[in-house]
């Protein structure tokens, strides 16, 4: 008898008829994979592949990258600008001049009547760096509103805030190559295999050559936790307590790098005094990790020659987000693990260009990590742009999470939303709906006209997406990658860059300030503005970035390539050149489970979807894996409530309710449910979103819910009650 392959059809890879491959960079997550898109003889994008020689991904792509060419012509793309007098009326199609005139007119009307800051702008981490720089020029130098921020407040602002507090500046100090050198990896609140599959692959590659301990801190048994040597299933929102206890053991047992601390840090005494309070026996009942495990992890970390910490949203999205980041920095400072190969505090960033907005968008300051609070910085940028420095505010305005409440109170009357979908991604969406309905004027600029937030707009501006345009993204390791133009913009959609330039022409300052016609022209301005600073782009050009498959900053004028690490000399950006050790007292301030709402609600992502699914929801090969809102629930907890696998159940919180399909799994503990946030009218109908006091980032991952079984599983019975809110 014959077995196996010989009897089956041989695997055939269909010939897609590719006649040309075009180089570009993936537009989903912040890993920064180099990708080539194959075009057929009609110029249509028919396939994607990883670029072999690229430093980041070395030929690999995750499944989102593999199908990325399909998004150019996916359903729901915006074709032409849309306009209407009143929200919820039918939209009329219009031309660009009419749409842009209406927007400019409304901005001017609102600002004349209610003051400049009554018009707000909320942007993203998903457009190109040159677009961010241009939007910043428009928002700060032309329109002149201080209520200008981005969705990065939902994502990276705790990391930014923590880096600034510890090191005096934002900027992740490490790189992916650190996996090749480290002797211990601590990963906190990050599900790397699903959310950054190619960074994870880099880690696996390092582990194949050399064993080193991997410690994962996550309340769920994620895929990452399953491969770890030690998994710490922490109690939600208590990472700061664990970090204090780790520092306690290290100092108590004399395992610290005292010479490094004395040479490069300040405020040692105050820090030591706070840490002294957090012996493992005190910390254990709070953070849910037993005292001996804490001691074991502390010793492993401190005794490693080089040790590094990576983290993502499990840290940032918390009422202690900024403190969590500072706690990680403290741990690495006392063990001398900053700026050395394999020793670092590396925030794994989120969106493809979450870094670009931090560097250049002027959301929280002025271009190139400059600050509004600094008179020199205001003068420098005003002189470069050719405007009066008095036009700038002297301190930053509201964060995104404070802009929405300011609409509620009537302080803000008009809003421009660019490449973000708060109707799905913000907490308590019933409240967001009421807020959007309160606006005198809303303009939505998005690649998809079916994006939920567009239901509330007066004008919709259709944007070109990803490689329909050209510009740079900065990845997690400060690598500036080039998105080369692969396809023309769909229908009459336009690059965001073009839209900002056209808008500028409609304002007085916009006619004074130079707005380069091309993204390369904007890049030249950024090079000039960054020269000699930590964030130095002056040694880069589009051609050199493409040739090197990305360049890390700082890349100074005569540098061949950029620097892989920051702070290698132990000099930090605080005025005294030292890093600060910061004491972190802890208070329990979350909404906790109680008798009425007995479960922790945890939320996050799955590998096949990106955010609010405007893109991945339209791509068959991604959407088929999880087309329906669902939750992970522990089988023991489900049994007690009569909730069954594969059936719908209702989640109820003090804010509202949502219906989800039940997936029973031991991945979550009995007192927690986990819900991917990708679906509209789902987890953010029930989430709370208390804010971190430093970063104003919402605690998306901690609030309390109850779960109700639904007896009648017919569609009418399980449908979301959209009107029901509390
Ligand atoms: N496939 C895919 N990849 C993505 C994205 C996507 O939408 N889809 N989005 C990108 C973006 S913008 C981001 S920000 C990143 C996010 O990347 P990650 O942060 O890795 O993803 P999340 O699933 O949001 O959360 C990570 C983990 O935090 C854990 N967590 C919850 N509460 C706590 C806690 O109190 N302490 C600790 N230590 N952990 C906790 C959760 O259980 C979860 O497993 O992913 C990026 N990559
Ligand atoms: N419950 C819960 N909620 C969360 C999170 C969580 O873990 N749990 N995570 C939070 C995090 S970390 C993040 S980053 C946010 C993300 O939340 P959002 O920013 O709302 O997510 P996206 O769906 O990525 O929205 C981006 C929009 O930009 C559009 N777009 C894409 N490319 C372009 C372009 O080039 N130009 C223009 N103009 N538009 C474009 C897309 O179509 C999409 O509508 O969600 C947050 N919300
Ligand atoms: S890991 Fe991120 S950057 Fe790389 S292919 Fe996947 S989504 Fe794109
Ligand atoms: Mo994010």
């Amino acid at each position: 008898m014959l077995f196996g392959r010989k009897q089956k059809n041989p695997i055939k890879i269909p010939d897609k008829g590719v006649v040309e491959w075009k180089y570009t960079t993936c537009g989903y997550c912040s890993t920064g994979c180099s990708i080539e898109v194959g075009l057929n003889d009609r110029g249509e994008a028919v396939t994607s592949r990883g670029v072999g020689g690229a430093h980041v991904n070395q030929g690999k792509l995750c499944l989102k990258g593999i199908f990325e060419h399909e998004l150019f012509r996916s359903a729901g793309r915006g074709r032409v600008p849309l306009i209407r007098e009143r929200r919820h009326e039918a939209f009329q199609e219009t031309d660009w001049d009419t749409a842009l005139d209406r927007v400019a007119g409304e901005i001017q009307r609102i600002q004349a009547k209610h003051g400049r800051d009554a018009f707000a702008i909320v942007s993203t981490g998903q457009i190109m760096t040159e677009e961010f720089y241009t939007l910043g020029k428009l928002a700060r130098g032309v329109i002149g509103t201080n209520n200008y921020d981005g969705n990065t407040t939902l994502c990276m602002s705790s990391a930014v805030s923590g880096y600034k507090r510890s090191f005096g500046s934002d900027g992740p100090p490490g790189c992916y190559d650190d996996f090749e050198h480290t002797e211990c990896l601590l990963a906190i609140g990050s599900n790397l295999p699903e959310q950054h599959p190619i960074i994870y692959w880099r880690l696996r590659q390092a582990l194949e050559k050399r064993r080193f301990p991997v410690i994962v801190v996550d309340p769920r048994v994620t895929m990452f936790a399953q491969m770890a040597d030690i998994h710490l299933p922490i109690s939600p929102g208590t990472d700061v307590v664990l970090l204090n206890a780790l520092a306690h053991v290290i100092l108590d047992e004399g395992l610290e790098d005292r010479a490094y601390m004395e040479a490069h840090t300040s405020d040692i005494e105050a820090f030591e005094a706070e840490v002294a309070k957090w012996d493992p026996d005190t910390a254990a009942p709070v953070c849910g990790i037993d005292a001996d495990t804490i001691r074991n992890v502390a010793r492993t970390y401190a005794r490693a020659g080089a040790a590094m910490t990576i983290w993502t949203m499990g840290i940032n999205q918390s009422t202690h987000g900024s403190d969590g980041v500072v706690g990680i920095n403290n741990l690495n400072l006392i063990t001398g693990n900053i700026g050395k190969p394999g020793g670092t505090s590396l925030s794994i960033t989120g969106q493809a260009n979450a870094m670009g907005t931090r560097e250049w968008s002027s959301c929280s300051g002025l271009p190139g990590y400059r600050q509004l609070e600094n008179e020199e910085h205001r003068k420098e940028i005003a002189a470069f742009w050719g405007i009066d420095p008095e036009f700038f505010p002297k301190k930053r305005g509201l964060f995104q999470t404070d802009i929405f409440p300011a609409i509620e109170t009537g302080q803000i009357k008009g809003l421009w939303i660019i490449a973000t979908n708060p109707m799905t991604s913000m907490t308590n969406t019933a409240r967001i709906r009421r807020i959007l309905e309160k606006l005198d004027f809303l303009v939505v600029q998005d690649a998809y006209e079916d994006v939920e937030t567009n239901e509330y707009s007066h004008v919709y501006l259709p944007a070109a997406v990803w490689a329909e345009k050209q510009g740079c993204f900065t990845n997690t390791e400060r690598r500036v990658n080039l998105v080369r133009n692969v396809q023309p913009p769909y229908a009459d959609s336009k690059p965001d860059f073009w839209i900002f330039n056209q808008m500028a022409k409609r304002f007085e300052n916009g006619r004074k300030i130079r707005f380069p016609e091309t993204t390369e022209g904007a890049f030249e301005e950024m090079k000039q503005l960054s020269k000699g600073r930590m964030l130095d782009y002056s040694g880069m050009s589009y051609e050199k970035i493409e040739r090197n498959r990305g360049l890390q900053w700082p890349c100074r004028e005569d540098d061949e390539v950029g620097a892989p690490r920051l702070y290698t000399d132990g000099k930090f950006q605080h005025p005294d050149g030292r890093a600060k050790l910061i004491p972190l007292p802890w208070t329990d301030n979350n909404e906790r489970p109680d008798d009425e709402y007995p479960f922790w609600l945890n939320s996050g992502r799955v590998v096949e979807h990106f955010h609010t699914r405007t893109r991945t929801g339209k791509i068959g090969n991604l959407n088929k894996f999880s087309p329906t809102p669902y939750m992970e629930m522990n089988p023991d907890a489900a049994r007690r409530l009569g909730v069954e696998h594969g059936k719908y159940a209702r989640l109820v919180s003090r804010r509202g309710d949502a219906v989800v399909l039940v997936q029973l799994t031991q991945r979550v503990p009995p007192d927690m449910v986990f819900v991917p946030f990708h679906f509209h009218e789902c987890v953010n109908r029930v989430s709370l979103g208390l804010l971190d006091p430093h970063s104003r980032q919402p605690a998306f991952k901690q609030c309390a819910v109850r779960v109700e079984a639904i007896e009648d599983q017919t569609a009418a019975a399980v449908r979301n009650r959209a009107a029901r809110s509390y």
Side-chain angles (χ1 to χ4, degrees):
M1 236 168 92
L2 280 171
F3 287 102
R5 177 81 51 219
K6 279 183 192 158
Q7 274 196 330
K8 290 187 178 163
N9 293 333
I11 294 166
K12 276 194 200 138
I13 298 175
D15 183 359
K16 301 246 175 81
V18 173
V19 295
E20 188 188 0
W21 289 98
K22 280 197 173 169
Y23 170 84
T24 192
T25 301
C26 177
Y28 285 114
C29 88
S30 64
T31 303
C33 295
S34 296
I35 182 167
E36 277 174 342
V37 177
L39 305 180
N40 67 14
D41 56 4
R42 293 187 298 280
E44 295 157 347
V46 288
T47 188
S48 310
R49 69 180 184 195
V51 176
H55 201 274
V56 167
N57 54 315
Q58 299 160 26
K60 298 266 191 299
L61 292 176
C62 82
L63 83 167
K64 290 184 296 308
I66 288 172
F67 296 110
E68 201 158 2
H69 58 279
E70 293 185 12
L71 70 79
F72 291 125
R73 299 296 175 262
S74 51
R77 289 292 310 275
R79 287 182 308 108
V80 289
L82 302 173
I83 201 162
R84 58 187 164 196
E85 267 316 303
R86 275 180 295 276
R87 81 170 58 82
H88 303 317
E89 281 178 1
F91 271 125
Q92 305 294 315
E93 294 192 352
T94 190
D95 57 81
W96 276 100
D97 274 335
T98 310
L100 291 166
D101 285 347
R102 168 90 182 274
V103 177
E106 292 282 356
I107 297 173
Q108 282 152 359
R109 183 185 63 76
I110 287 169
Q111 290 191 317
K113 191 159 167 212
H114 304 284
R116 277 191 355 212
D117 293 343
F119 189 85
I121 303 175
V122 167
S123 96
T124 182
Q126 296 177 44
I127 57 177
M128 278 133 191
T129 309
E130 297 80 347
E131 298 180 324
F132 280 129
Y133 171 67
T134 306
L135 173 61
K137 208 191 248 185
L138 180 64
R140 294 273 175 223
V142 176
I143 295 174
T145 173
N146 200 13
N147 291 326
Y148 161 49
D149 196 36
N151 69 359
T152 37
T153 292
L154 313 182
C155 180
M156 300 316 305
S157 65
S158 293
V160 173
S161 151
Y163 275 141
K164 283 185 181 165
R165 289 165 70 200
S166 297
F167 304 148
S169 170
D170 185 20
C175 59
Y176 306 155
D177 238 8
D178 284 322
F179 295 138
E180 297 288 335
H181 304 279
T182 197
E183 288 162 42
C184 180
L185 175 72
L186 178 62
I188 314 186
S190 155
N191 189 12
L192 209 60
E194 291 205 56
Q195 271 66 84
H196 300 88
I198 302 299
I199 303 183
Y200 178 65
W201 171 74
R202 291 281 302 266
L203 167 65
R204 291 307 297 236
Q205 210 187 21
L207 282 166
E208 265 168 34
K209 291 180 227 156
R210 195 171 47 82
R211 284 300 302 164
F212 52 87
V214 174
I215 304 156
V216 170
V217 185
D218 196 305
R220 294 159 67 216
V221 192
T222 56
M223 211 195 285
F224 204 7
Q226 288 170 44
M227 68 72 75
D229 299 287
I230 306 177
H231 171 214
L232 307 183
I234 192 154
S235 301
T238 64
D239 298 85
V240 168
V241 172
L242 174 68
L243 288 159
N244 277 342
L246 294 174
H248 178 99
V249 176
I250 291 168
L251 294 173
D252 191 47
E253 300 187 2
L255 300 172
E256 75 276 17
D257 185 342
R258 192 52 69 171
Y260 186 90
M261 283 167 72
E262 274 165 11
H264 302 300
T265 69
S266 62
D267 300 348
I268 299 177
E269 274 170 31
F271 170 72
E272 286 184 328
E274 179 62 33
V275 161
K277 300 176 196 161
W278 292 101
D279 62 89
D281 294 309
T282 307
V286 184
C287 68
I289 309 300
D290 73 273
D292 278 339
T293 306
I294 296 175
R295 288 189 192 97
N296 182 17
V297 168
R299 290 170 193 149
T300 307
Y301 200 84
R303 286 180 183 150
M308 65 188 281
T309 312
I310 60 171
W311 76 91
T312 320
M313 291 306 122
I315 285 284
N316 289 358
Q317 289 173 345
S318 149
T319 51
H320 301 285
S322 172
D323 280 357
V325 174
V326 168
I328 290 167
N329 294 337
N330 285 342
L331 177 68
N332 287 310
L333 288 167
I334 63 172
T335 52
N337 279 306
I338 294 290
K340 77 179 189 196
T344 194
S345 287
L346 183 61
S347 146
I348 305 290
T349 56
Q351 306 165 80
N353 206 16
M355 281 298 294
T357 179
R358 284 152 72 169
E359 295 162 15
W360 291 105
S361 73
S362 308
C363 272
S364 63
L366 289 167
Y369 286 147
R370 287 177 177 84
Q371 290 150 11
L372 284 161
E373 293 76 9
N374 182 318
E375 190 184 350
E376 278 308 300
H377 289 175
R378 291 196 304 270
K379 282 189 175 155
E380 249 177 297
I381 297 298
F384 191 83
W385 288 347
I387 58 168
D388 180 355
E390 287 304 312
F391 192 72
F392 294 139
K394 296 187 174 60
K395 65 179 192 359
R396 74 164 290 173
L398 299 178
F399 287 74
Q400 161 161 2
T401 43
D402 294 313
I403 286 176
F404 286 92
I407 296 168
E408 204 166 36
T409 60
Q411 190 186 330
I412 291 171
K413 306 284 185 193
L415 177 64
W416 184 1
I417 290 184
I418 300 154
T420 182
N421 185 15
M423 266 314 297
T424 303
S425 58
M426 284 282 283
T427 50
N428 194 353
T429 44
R431 181 177 176 199
I432 300 295
R433 173 183 294 112
R434 287 196 297 274
I435 288 172
L436 293 179
E437 290 194 323
K438 193 152 191 238
L439 283 165
D440 288 356
F441 180 72
L442 173 66
V443 46
V444 166
Q445 177 171 329
D446 200 284
Y448 290 85
E449 67 179 36
D450 62 359
V451 59
E452 289 87 15
T453 304
N454 201 24
E455 273 180 47
Y456 305 88
S457 73
H458 298 88
V459 176
Y460 164 72
L461 304 176
V465 77
W466 184 43
E468 289 175 348
K469 46 190 186 171
Q470 180 152 290
C472 294
F473 288 158
T474 309
N475 78 354
T476 290
E477 54 168 2
R478 288 170 287 102
R479 189 179 296 277
V480 177
N481 284 308
L482 187 60
V483 180
R484 279 281 189 211
N485 176 236
V486 167
Q487 289 273 284
Y490 174 67
D492 199 23
S493 66
K494 299 283 185 195
D496 297 276
F497 186 77
W498 181 91
I499 300 172
F500 301 144
N501 275 355
Q502 297 306 311
M503 192 66 80
K505 292 191 206 309
R506 288 163 166 81
F507 289 80
E508 195 190 320
N509 266 9
R511 291 184 287 268
K512 271 195 245 162
I513 300 180
R514 206 175 80 85
F515 276 80
E517 291 285 309
T518 63
T519 56
E520 217 161 349
F523 193 78
E524 282 308 313
E525 290 195 3
M526 288 154 46
K527 280 167 64 174
Q528 286 176 46
L529 282 172
S530 68
K531 199 168 164 183
R533 299 179 64 79
M534 182 172 85
L535 171 75
D536 197 329
Y537 271 39
S538 60
M540 300 185 195
S541 68
Y542 277 12
E543 181 276 323
K544 191 168 158 188
I545 296 171
E546 178 168 352
R547 182 159 32 89
N548 286 281
R549 295 351 193 169
L551 288 170
Q552 285 168 291
W553 64 255
C555 180
R556 302 195 173 81
E557 210 162 12
D558 298 318
D559 290 349
E560 261 311 297
V561 290
R565 294 177 189 86
L566 302 178
Y567 313 125
T568 47
D569 55 1
K571 283 213 178 60
F572 293 88
Q573 294 286 309
H574 283 302
D576 62 359
R578 287 168 180 265
K580 277 197 170 64
L581 286 169
I582 301 172
L584 300 171
W586 186 81
T587 43
D588 184 357
N589 55 8
N590 275 309
E591 182 187 58
R592 300 185 129 265
D594 55 18
D595 289 346
E596 209 182 339
Y597 299 99
F599 293 93
W600 283 107
L601 173 64
N602 182 356
S603 67
R605 303 157 158 76
V606 294
V607 63
E608 60 271 16
H609 277 308
F610 193 80
H611 291 177
T612 70
R613 297 195 314 144
T614 58
R615 286 181 272 175
T616 52
K618 318 288 179 31
I619 294 179
N621 278 318
L622 301 178
N623 197 45
K624 68 184 178 196
F625 293 111
S626 39
T628 312
Y630 72 93
M631 77 169 161
E632 295 180 353
M633 186 179 194
N634 187 287
D636 296 334
R639 203 174 306 118
R640 283 198 296 276
L641 294 171
V643 168
E644 288 172 51
H645 185 79
K647 294 268 173 72
Y648 291 99
R650 191 181 305 283
L651 275 174
V652 185
S653 77
R654 292 183 178 86
R655 274 70 57 193
D657 68 343
V659 172
V660 287
L661 202 67
V662 177
Q663 192 185 88
L664 296 185
T665 167
Q666 302 282 356
R667 272 195 296 271
V668 281
D671 65 344
M672 176 182 284
V673 294
F674 176 83
V675 185
F677 91 97
H678 305 295
F679 302 89
H680 184 55
E681 296 292 11
C682 185
V683 70
N684 283 331
R685 283 167 61 91
V686 288
S687 59
L688 169 60
L690 295 174
L691 300 181
D692 177 283
H694 298 276
S695 68
R696 310 303 287 160
Q697 184 158 345
F700 280 113
K701 296 200 171 353
Q702 288 102 27
C703 72
V705 292
R706 71 166 176 265
V707 178
E708 295 173 358
I710 302 177
E711 244 164 61
D712 181 357
Q713 293 276 316
T714 55
V718 301
R719 200 180 53 219
N720 277 348
R721 282 170 285 170
R724 176 171 158 193
S725 63
Y726 294 69

